[in-house]
Amino acid sequence: MEQICESGSDNLNIVIISHGLTIRIILMRLFKWTAEEVESLISPKNGEIRILELGHEGKYSLALHHDDKTLEKWGLSPQMILDQKQRA
């Protein structure tokens, strides 16, 4: 993912369609979450969308398209939500 982001293209969109566990593992790698944090997350339901967008600091965040209540419903801890807001 980091190599793709460093490609220099401003018009790059990526769609990943996968199983819930795989999506959580991708988020774990991207956000450097611990295994315990990932285990606390709720797997996406069939057809559920999680949108990551590049923030102003050049870091990806879930908080640009999803509110605190949604992030909390997905199982993110208050600290994880704060981190997502800082990345936005």
Side-chain angles (χ1 to χ4, degrees):
M1 185 77 125
E2 291 172 10
Q3 291 174 339
I4 293 169
C5 299
E6 294 171 0
S7 69
S9 175
D10 291 338
N11 298 319
L12 181 64
N13 293 308
I14 300 172
V15 176
I16 299 173
I17 301 170
S18 187
H19 296 279
L21 177 59
T22 305
I23 300 243
R24 290 186 295 155
I25 297 296
I26 290 169
L27 294 175
M28 177 181 174
R29 289 271 318 206
L30 187 63
F31 299 131
K32 297 177 177 48
W33 288 340
T34 66
E36 292 79 21
E37 289 172 320
V38 172
E39 287 175 2
S40 73
L41 298 176
I42 307 298
S43 283
K45 296 178 183 172
N46 290 339
E48 189 173 359
I49 297 173
R50 308 278 165 101
I51 301 173
L52 295 170
E53 186 170 332
L54 200 57
H56 301 292
E57 298 291 320
K59 296 180 181 179
Y60 281 93
S61 174
L62 291 163
L64 290 164
H65 286 280
H66 308 289
D67 60 17
D68 290 4
K69 187 175 180 179
T70 301
L71 296 175
E72 189 177 294
K73 182 178 92 174
W74 290 346
L76 275 74
S77 69
Q79 182 59 40
M80 293 165 79
I81 293 171
L82 179 63
D83 178 58
Q84 291 302 304
K85 287 181 173 183
Q86 290 173 344
R87 292 171 155 275

